[in-house]
């Protein structure tokens, strides 16, 4: 397949094959995997993942799992991997919930300030593990406030950051709380775990993702957030520190062009698109798409299959 | 006060006074009033409104009330005016809920198609009055759906438009419903009553406005809406038809620069900013503001006061 990139020059997007898999395999020391649509769909492991990851480990490759889904913490993700029969260490997992906590840590967010959360357990758990005080999230999921002419909504003036991620219990109370913090608390940060429009939350459908909740807060504050998940390369700093491997020796494997592949390219990694998730071959080949991975394959297990050929 | 506009030329923003009120009064045949922050704050009438409107009517001026607040229908607004002791006819009121219904009517939206609503009673009432079938809105306010790997969210394939306005009962169910309609029903329209970031929903505070809910749907669909409320001039077509008066003989009176004054300017009206609502004198005079009304006054009653001087 030959494609034109945005500069007008033509770029090859190669299907992964028995001929080129060796070149990719030998030039890469660490594989970075997205999870949804790559490792699993919903709660179902994608065929051949276990054997492929085992083979990569046995050949000395480093493995990292990067997910924009902020609903779980690293610990919760490790449990999910384990329940699916895939042994993965907590410190091989980089979720956007963890990224939000690390962003605050790296930027020396004061420990006496608080963080208001629109999102689920994962963000609050990671904030706590990093020594921060979070509020909101699940505990505000059933709260309701009806604006009346004589009511005044109180918010904590010590909130110095708002973190917004996917939240299935989004409501007007949380939106008003977050909006007041960002509009009225001087210097309050507005952090988005990611801006994915949708996510594969059931096997058959896309459902609104964190981009929906982030869009709501952008709409009420007229501010743009700091994004810590893909395609932002904030997490790459951690990977570089952890592995001491140049990004040109890393390969990002993902199913989304606008987050995974863009993230890999922004960081200078090789990129492999798998068609086991949201992106179809026709979407990849559509003339309106200008994000081109180095390779594409039907699924992760193709790496193993082609190496064995 | 002398200001520079975005082209660099200097523009006068005059305070309304006994000296210039006659010029404005004599050149204008219709006054268009915003409501929140101009006529009332919450449920409280702003001082001197009744007498000023009476005087304008007695001098043969046409009066129109234009509000971006879509929570009520025209009928409900007429009741609110009446309860505050201000006699206003239903057909003098142009709410963004009415504008949404009129947009569909003007564009010959098929009567056998349906309209999904994120918003409150006002939108559904106006849709029904215009002969359309709405669904969603208040009846979906208590619905909840938790995405699970085996669940499939059903939506009505006959929905041909989604209307989004202020909704104090916003939830994930509604966001998923609206998102599926826009993403999956071919040609489905995405209409926003308005994009106000916040509104004066209590006497002491700004609360998230329709811009919040609209931002959420933009975030999950990656589409931009058709806006029917201010500052879009869609409603102006109706005013022109109703009064047969050129827009240069109309004066838009409002408290928001980015909706009211911009709306008036976009339509070619004279503009009067009142400081009884969201905009302070310092915000008007701030160098970053490039929306300049022709006049400003502390409140609507200044028109009467200066004319009597």
């Amino acid at each position: 397949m030959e494609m034109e990139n945005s500069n007008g020059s033509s770029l090859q997007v190669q299907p992964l094959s028995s001929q080129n898999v060796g070149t990719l395999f030998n030039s890469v020391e660490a594989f970075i995997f997205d999870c949804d649509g790559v490792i699993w769909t919903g709660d179902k492991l994608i065929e051949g993942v276990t054997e492929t990851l085992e083979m990569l480990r046995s050949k000395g490759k480093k493995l990292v799992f990067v997910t924009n889904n902020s609903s779980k913490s690293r610990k919760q993700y490790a449990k999910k991997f384990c329940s699916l029969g895939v042994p993965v260490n907590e410190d091989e997992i980089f979720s956007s919930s963890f990224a939000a906590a690390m962003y605050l840590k790296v930027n020396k967010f004061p420990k006496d300030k608080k963080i208001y959360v629109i999102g689920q357990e994962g963000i609050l758990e990671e904030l706590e593990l990093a020594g921060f005080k979070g509020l909101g999230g699940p505990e505000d999921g059933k709260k309701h406030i009806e604006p009346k002419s004589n009511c005044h909504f109180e918010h904590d003036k010590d909130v110095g950051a708002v973190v917004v991620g996917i939240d299935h219990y989004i409501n007007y109370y949380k939106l008003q709380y977050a909006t007041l913090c960002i509009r009225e608390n001087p210097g309050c940060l507005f952090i988005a775990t990611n801006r994915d429009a949708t996510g594969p939350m059931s096997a058959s459908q896309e459902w609104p993702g964190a981009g929906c909740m982030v869009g709501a807060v952008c709409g009420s504050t007229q501010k743009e957030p700091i994004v810590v998940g893909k395609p932002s390369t904030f997490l790459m700093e951690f990977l570089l520190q952890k592995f001491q491997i140049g990004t040109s020796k890393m390969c990002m494997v993902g199913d989304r062009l606008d987050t995974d592949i863009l993230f890999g390219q922004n960081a200078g990694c090789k990129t492999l698109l798998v068609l086991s998730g949201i992106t179809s071959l026709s979407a990849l080949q559509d003339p309106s798409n200008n994000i081109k991975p180095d390779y594409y394959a039907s699924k992760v297990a193709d790496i193993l299959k082609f190496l064995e050929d």
Side-chain angles (χ1 to χ4, degrees), chain A residues 3-11 289-292:
Chain A
M3 291 170 134
E4 294 238 322
N5 72 5
S6 53
N7 302 322
S9 65
S10 79
L11 272 180
N289 166 43
N290 53 22
I291 303 173
K292 316 275 162 50

Side-chain angles (χ1 to χ4, degrees), chain A residues 15-22 55 272 296-309:
Chain A
L16 197 67
S17 67
S18 332
Q19 280 73 51
N20 61 22
V21 70
M55 178 276 294
L272 168 60
Y296 71 91
S298 68
K299 54 184 184 299
V300 162
D302 286 4
I303 303 173
L304 178 60
K305 185 182 79 178
F306 292 133
L307 277 171
E308 284 176 343
D309 275 353

Side-chain angles (χ1 to χ4, degrees), chain A residues 257-272:
Chain A
L257 292 163
D258 60 348
T259 50
D260 301 323
I261 301 305
L262 194 57
F263 167 77
Q265 292 178 340
N266 286 346
C269 304
K270 296 197 169 51
T271 54
L272 168 60

Side-chain angles (χ1 to χ4, degrees), chain A residues 4-308:
Chain A
E4 294 238 322
N5 72 5
S6 53
N7 302 322
S9 65
S10 79
L11 272 180
Q12 292 283 347
V13 180
Q14 305 179 56
L16 197 67
S17 67
S18 332
Q19 280 73 51
N20 61 22
V21 70
T23 313
L24 175 68
F25 188 81
N26 294 325
S27 65
V28 165
E29 295 179 28
F31 283 87
I32 307 170
F33 293 96
D34 175 44
C35 298
D36 278 318
V38 177
I39 303 296
W40 55 61
T41 305
D43 290 327
K44 206 167 163 283
L45 204 64
I46 292 171
E47 193 199 335
V49 161
T50 315
E51 300 83 335
T52 309
L53 298 183
E54 254 171 33
M55 178 276 294
L56 292 173
R57 280 194 202 279
S58 75
K59 302 284 186 186
K61 306 296 181 190
K62 309 284 183 201
L63 305 186
V64 183
F65 302 88
V66 176
T67 173
N68 264 0
N69 189 334
S70 64
S71 64
K72 294 187 172 68
S73 63
R74 298 218 282 179
K75 193 188 290 282
Q76 290 171 310
Y77 274 112
K79 267 191 203 158
K80 176 165 181 172
F81 273 103
C82 182
S83 75
L84 292 171
V86 185
V88 166
N89 278 333
E90 208 174 303
D91 69 357
E92 292 174 312
I93 300 165
F94 291 78
S95 60
S96 65
S97 51
F98 174 70
M102 286 308 101
Y103 181 89
L104 292 166
K105 197 167 181 176
V106 164
N107 288 284
K108 303 195 185 342
F109 184 78
K111 295 275 159 123
D112 59 334
K113 288 275 187 182
K114 298 172 194 165
I115 298 138
Y116 186 76
V117 174
I118 290 184
Q120 302 186 197
E121 292 80 4
I123 299 172
L124 284 159
E125 207 172 300
E126 292 294 351
L127 290 175
E128 200 184 325
L129 281 170
F132 295 116
K133 174 138 185 58
L135 66 159
E139 75 173 56
D140 286 355
K142 300 236 156 136
K143 291 187 185 164
H144 177 69
I145 179 94
E146 182 78 29
K148 295 218 172 78
S149 65
N150 58 350
C151 81
H152 189 88
F153 191 108
E154 294 295 337
H155 75 285
D156 193 326
K157 303 290 191 293
D158 289 333
V159 170
V162 170
V163 175
V164 183
I166 177 73
D167 192 333
H168 299 140
Y169 293 85
I170 186 71
N171 61 28
Y172 194 70
Y173 180 96
K174 292 182 187 180
L175 291 167
Q176 162 69 338
Y177 206 109
T179 301
L180 281 175
C181 292
I182 295 171
R183 290 174 63 103
E184 298 190 0
N185 291 4
C188 183
L189 300 172
F190 171 19
I191 296 169
T193 59
N194 66 297
R195 298 191 78 162
D196 292 6
T198 58
M201 278 159 246
S202 83
S204 61
Q205 275 180 326
E206 291 288 308
W207 293 58
C212 180
M213 292 80 212
V214 173
V217 179
C218 291
S220 60
T221 61
Q222 297 181 308
K223 295 214 167 136
E224 286 297 301
I226 299 153
V227 180
V228 294
K230 297 173 283 183
S232 148
T233 55
F234 169 71
L235 271 176
M236 197 47 85
E237 294 175 32
F238 284 84
L239 299 182
L240 291 174
Q241 234 176 358
K242 184 178 163 71
F243 294 124
Q244 309 282 324
I245 296 174
T247 55
S248 67
K249 293 189 170 178
M250 296 182 186
C251 178
M252 176 70 211
V253 184
D255 72 321
R256 292 187 89 106
L257 292 163
D258 60 348
T259 50
D260 301 323
I261 301 305
L262 194 57
F263 167 77
Q265 292 178 340
N266 286 346
C269 304
K270 296 197 169 51
T271 54
L272 168 60
L273 179 80
V274 288
L275 303 174
S276 50
I278 199 172
T279 307
S280 62
L281 185 58
S282 62
L284 171 65
Q285 294 175 328
D286 194 282
S288 71
N289 166 43
N290 53 22
I291 303 173
K292 316 275 162 50
D294 297 313
Y295 303 93
Y296 71 91
S298 68
K299 54 184 184 299
V300 162
D302 286 4
I303 303 173
L304 178 60
K305 185 182 79 178
F306 292 133
L307 277 171
E308 284 176 343

